[in-house]
């Protein structure tokens, strides 16, 4: 029963993200709205980690099958992708490096900031 409650909370927050996506004229995906809502609820203490932790861990542990449709799409449209393969590869490598660098900087900044408070 606890798992059903946790899943209901997660899906409810995701639904609110979908509603925000329809209401607000911003180019932000619904999933991002849902993530920010979840973060806000957790940071304010309205929602506690224990309220969604079990289901969240289950979803993270079983995330791999979620990528199957994307992989099938890549295989299905292989011919079209081969026409733009090199630029696609360059863009992916470049953007991945940028994300790694920025994530590293933010993590270092947060660790320094956390050390100052402690």
């Amino acid at each position: 029963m606890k798992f059903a409650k946790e899943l209901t909370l997660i899906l409810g927050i995701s639904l609110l993200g979908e509603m925000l996506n329809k209401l607000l004229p911003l180019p932000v995906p619904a999933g991002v709205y849902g993530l920010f809502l979840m973060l806000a609820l957790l940071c304010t203490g309205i929602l506690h980690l224990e309220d969604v932790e079990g289901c969240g861990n289950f979803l993270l542990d079983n995330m791999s099958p979620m990528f199957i449709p994307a992989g099938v799409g890549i295989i299905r449209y292989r011919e079209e992708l081969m026409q733009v393969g090199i630029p696609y590869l360059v863009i992916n490598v470049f953007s991945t490096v940028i994300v790694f660098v920025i994530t590293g900087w933010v993590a270092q900044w947060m660790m320094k900031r956390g050390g100052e408070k402690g």
Side-chain angles (χ1 to χ4, degrees), residues 40-74:
L41 292 172
L42 288 169
C43 287
T44 58
I46 296 171
L47 185 66
H48 296 94
L49 183 58
E50 299 82 33
D51 296 335
V52 292
E53 188 173 21
C55 184
N57 285 337
F58 173 79
L59 292 171
L60 285 174
D61 291 343
N62 296 290
M63 190 175 6
S64 299
M66 307 300 174
F67 292 99
I68 292 173
V72 170
I74 288 173

Side-chain angles (χ1 to χ4, degrees), residues 98-115:
I98 289 173
V99 168
F100 283 169
V101 169
I102 291 174
T103 302
W105 285 343
V106 169
Q108 288 178 349
W109 175 76
M110 290 179 74
M111 288 176 10
K112 287 179 187 174
R113 186 171 171 232

Side-chain angles (χ1 to χ4, degrees), residues 66-88:
M66 307 300 174
F67 292 99
I68 292 173
V72 170
I74 288 173
I75 293 169
R76 184 172 180 200
Y77 296 104
R78 181 177 18 165
E79 296 300 321
E80 289 86 352
L81 286 174
M82 293 303 285
Q83 296 172 1
V84 293
I86 298 299
Y88 182 76

Side-chain angles (χ1 to χ4, degrees), residues 1-60:
M1 197 66 177
K2 183 176 180 347
F3 190 82
K5 178 185 172 193
E6 292 178 7
L7 184 61
T8 302
L9 283 170
I10 291 172
L11 292 177
I13 292 168
S14 295
L15 179 63
L16 288 174
E18 291 286 341
M19 293 167 64
L20 281 174
N21 188 354
K22 298 296 181 201
L23 292 174
L24 299 176
L26 300 173
V28 178
V32 174
Y33 283 123
L35 288 173
F36 277 120
L37 283 171
M38 178 71 79
L39 178 64
L41 292 172
L42 288 169
C43 287
T44 58
I46 296 171
L47 185 66
H48 296 94
L49 183 58
E50 299 82 33
D51 296 335
V52 292
E53 188 173 21
C55 184
N57 285 337
F58 173 79
L59 292 171
L60 285 174

